[in-house]
Amino acid sequence: MIPDTAGTVLSESQVRAFQKCNQLYAFGGGVEYNLNTSIFKSTIEMMIVDALKRPIDNPKLSFPKYLNRSMVKHKVHEDLLFGQIQDMMSTMSYRLTDFWDVFKADNFIPVVGPRHFRTIVSKTPIDVYVSCVFMQKQNKTLNILDFTPYASEHAQVNDVMLYIKMKAIEAFQRKDKRITPVRIHSVGLTEGDVFLYRSFTYKDLQQELLERTTKLVKGIEIGMDMPSLPCKFYSC
């Protein structure tokens, strides 16, 4: 049987849309980042790009420079008043410090990023976006930095893309019993400026989530996305 996904490559936004609601997926919807996470994400990614070229001296002192660049990229200055922009920069600076402290970035060496990788689940290729792959200095473990589009810890830990992204990167991990398996760090910022952070290995992910990921992709392959109007679950 030829799957419905034959000849196509799914994006992570499409996979998350199907996880949320198969009708949302059928109508071409997606799950996207909120503005706070988008700014936070691009700030970190700009720092990573520069750090790949040369080490950044005292990264915390560089936060305002990269944060301002990110806010310009997202055209925040066109939509907010000066006082609102100052409040946002202040809050974001605190959250960047939170991230730096909990992630312990000094323990890692950036290897590659930001970039897309491709992996296959069931019979379907999926493009995944990774902000950075780091190597841990002590044990050479590959660590993935990922930003979650979700606004709650429950949704964050049940995101099927956690497993898919780890699957995409594990092929690059050197096979050695002394090396810990690939770890993914999921980071997010809600619209209410609540900082979300969790890290996982395969062992940390519930078996139910691993099985649900494959089942979900198979659901897309067999066409379990027949839309109905009006949608009784979401006002998408």
Side-chain angles (χ1 to χ4, degrees):
M1 178 181 174
I2 300 176
D4 275 21
T5 54
T8 63
V9 179
L10 293 179
S11 69
E12 57 184 88
S13 180
Q14 289 175 303
V15 174
R16 283 173 170 144
F18 192 89
Q19 182 183 22
K20 179 179 181 182
C21 172
N22 60 357
Q23 296 178 37
L24 174 63
Y25 168 82
F27 286 119
V31 177
E32 308 297 341
Y33 297 103
N34 62 49
L35 178 60
N36 285 355
T37 298
S38 294
I39 294 172
F40 193 77
K41 173 175 173 289
S42 61
T43 300
I44 298 295
E45 288 179 349
M46 288 175 184
M47 293 185 70
I48 289 168
V49 169
D50 282 358
L52 285 167
K53 299 173 185 176
R54 64 182 65 85
I56 299 175
D57 295 329
N58 203 331
K60 289 185 179 180
L61 292 181
S62 301
F63 287 162
K65 177 179 73 173
Y66 291 100
L67 180 55
N68 188 61
R69 286 185 193 173
S70 179
M71 293 174 75
V72 170
K73 174 184 175 181
H74 292 282
K75 301 180 180 179
V76 172
H77 296 77
E78 298 177 11
D79 301 323
L80 299 179
L81 298 174
F82 178 77
Q84 293 173 310
I85 293 172
Q86 293 301 108
D87 287 343
M88 176 176 280
M89 287 198 69
S90 176
T91 301
M92 286 286 184
S93 294
Y94 282 120
R95 297 298 169 259
L96 286 165
T97 301
D98 290 341
F99 163 76
W100 200 263
D101 291 341
V102 73
F103 182 62
K104 296 180 174 58
D106 293 334
N107 294 332
F108 301 96
I109 301 170
V111 177
V112 64
R115 64 160 292 176
H116 289 270
F117 293 88
R118 184 169 293 179
T119 189
I120 295 176
V121 177
S122 185
K123 301 175 182 178
T124 302
I126 300 174
D127 264 349
V128 300
Y129 180 84
V130 172
S131 291
C132 187
V133 177
F134 293 89
M135 180 179 289
Q136 198 161 346
K137 293 178 181 178
Q138 184 176 6
N139 58 17
K140 309 304 180 185
T141 299
L142 294 182
N143 286 253
I144 305 164
L145 177 60
D146 181 50
F147 288 85
T148 178
Y150 299 114
S152 71
E153 187 173 293
H154 174 77
Q156 180 187 25
V157 301
N158 286 284
D159 182 8
V160 295
M161 291 307 304
L162 294 173
Y163 167 73
I164 295 173
K165 292 189 180 188
M166 292 173 73
K167 186 176 187 298
I169 301 301
E170 70 173 349
F172 301 96
Q173 175 72 71
R174 189 164 58 123
K175 301 299 185 290
D176 190 324
K177 292 181 179 180
R178 296 169 296 178
I179 299 178
T180 307
V182 173
R183 177 175 290 274
I184 188 167
H185 303 261
S186 176
V187 182
L189 200 62
T190 71
E191 292 180 350
D193 298 321
V194 176
F195 177 66
L196 300 174
Y197 173 83
R198 292 290 298 271
S199 70
F200 309 88
T201 63
Y202 275 129
K203 291 181 180 180
D204 298 324
L205 297 178
Q206 296 181 8
Q207 184 63 30
E208 178 189 356
L209 178 62
L210 305 184
E211 294 171 355
R212 194 188 327 144
T213 301
T214 302
K215 185 177 180 181
L216 181 144
V217 175
K218 286 182 177 179
I220 300 176
E221 291 173 347
I222 64 175
M224 291 177 55
D225 56 3
M226 295 302 293
S228 63
L229 289 173
C231 176
K232 62 182 179 179
F233 299 109
Y234 300 101
S235 300
C236 300

